[in-house]
Amino acid sequence: GINVVTPNKKAYSGDVQLWKDILEASSSQGGGRYLNEATVGAGLPVISTLKELLGTGDKIIKIEGVFSGTMSYIFNEFSTGREGGPAFSAVVGVAREKGYTEPHPADDLNGFDVARKLTILSRIISSFPTSSPSTLPPLQSFKSVKTASLIPPELEGIPTGDEFLARLPAHDAQFAKLREEASKEGKVLRFVGVVDVKGGEVRAGLEKYPTTHPFATSLGGSDNIIMFHTERYSPRPLIIQGAGAGAAVTAMGVLGDVLKLV
């Protein structure tokens, strides 16, 4: 019977039984509402837009986007579509200095933050009777998302961020090779998340996009950008973009949810 507003992703992307318990508690007589706009995109209207699309009868074909402000910054700086550029480890180091990464950069490079956000969106889609969730795999938790970590296998389990950054330069060549291959194709590298309802797949990982694509041309700093491909918004998707991290915009997302309860 208590309304809950939170930017915390854990309850909505962890064990599926907890998610089902939340739905049941909210739908029961006298149950409280749960509002979690800030769990995906901070203050960006991502969850509210998804719920309005589904609530008005639209069908989601695919959602794809750059959901991590940290990954956005790293690859905006690292991969521009031009030949050459800074070393991957150097970009990660600057991102850490600017406060874009967690104290341990591996906590961003493992892709789990994106996987949690995709789990939240996927579960929202499956909770609407008008959607077509049958093609989506059942996500027992965010660990069910097909996530391609950017942590080199040799650096898995390193206990401190300082040691991780000290050893990351040894792997710069492999990231530079990926950038070179993309630039030769006229493309950039971006760490994206995809909820492919039609294809029945939820995945997060590094993908290549043409230099003319919005993921290449529209992003700056630590911006997020999310595309909704739906029956209504097709072939041109509905696009939401803007700052997806930071205290001010996260507070905006939380306060916006509180105001919905007034």
Side-chain angles (χ1 to χ4, degrees):
I2 299 173
N3 297 317
V4 175
V5 171
T6 179
N8 193 304
K9 294 183 281 291
K10 289 187 176 181
Y12 304 105
S13 62
D15 184 75
V16 69
Q17 188 57 52
L18 176 56
W19 165 248
K20 291 178 179 178
D21 290 344
I22 292 170
L23 287 180
E24 184 179 353
S26 180
S27 62
S28 63
Q29 187 173 2
R33 295 175 64 190
Y34 65 92
L35 297 170
N36 59 326
E37 184 69 73
T39 57
V40 181
L44 294 176
V46 177
I47 288 178
S48 56
T49 298
L50 176 59
K51 288 181 176 179
E52 287 186 9
L53 289 169
L54 292 168
T56 56
D58 203 354
K59 298 288 192 301
I60 306 298
I61 298 170
K62 181 172 68 174
I63 301 172
E64 61 179 330
V66 176
F67 289 93
S68 166
T70 303
M71 295 292 208
S72 179
Y73 174 82
I74 289 173
F75 285 99
N76 290 341
E77 297 295 314
F78 177 72
S79 179
T80 62
R82 297 186 293 272
E83 287 190 22
F88 184 76
S89 61
V91 175
V92 174
V94 172
R96 189 186 188 217
E97 290 173 6
K98 290 179 177 287
Y100 289 146
T101 74
E102 297 292 335
H104 198 320
D107 291 336
D108 294 292
L109 297 180
N110 61 19
F112 284 176
D113 177 67
V114 176
R116 285 188 180 277
K117 293 171 181 177
L118 296 177
T119 301
I120 292 169
L121 297 178
S122 176
R123 287 176 173 175
I124 290 172
I125 293 172
S126 66
S127 68
F128 271 78
T130 56
S131 63
S132 303
S134 58
T135 55
L136 282 176
L139 296 179
Q140 298 303 309
S141 79
F142 72 93
K143 293 181 181 179
S144 301
V145 175
K146 295 179 181 178
T147 306
S149 171
L150 296 185
I151 302 173
E154 298 84 351
L155 303 188
E156 289 280 1
I158 289 180
T160 68
D162 289 339
E163 183 184 352
F164 181 86
L165 280 179
R167 293 177 58 180
L168 188 58
H171 303 273
D172 280 339
Q174 67 191 66
F175 287 102
K177 182 180 179 181
L178 293 173
R179 176 175 61 191
E180 181 182 356
E181 291 171 351
S183 65
K184 285 181 178 179
E185 297 175 22
K187 295 180 179 179
V188 298
L189 298 170
R190 295 292 182 263
F191 195 91
V192 301
V194 179
V195 178
D196 187 350
V197 177
K198 189 174 182 179
E201 183 180 46
V202 184
R203 68 181 188 274
L206 203 59
E207 298 194 18
K208 294 183 286 189
Y209 289 88
T211 54
T212 55
H213 193 278
F215 289 179
T217 62
S218 299
L219 291 172
S222 59
D223 283 358
N224 286 180
I225 183 169
I226 295 94
M227 290 183 169
F228 291 90
H229 300 267
T230 75
E231 285 188 353
R232 293 185 192 135
Y233 291 93
S234 180
R236 295 172 59 82
L238 170 63
I239 299 177
I240 297 172
Q241 81 170 83
V249 289
T250 302
M252 169 190 163
V254 173
L255 182 57
D257 275 351
V258 171
L259 293 175
K260 291 170 188 173
L261 299 174
V262 175

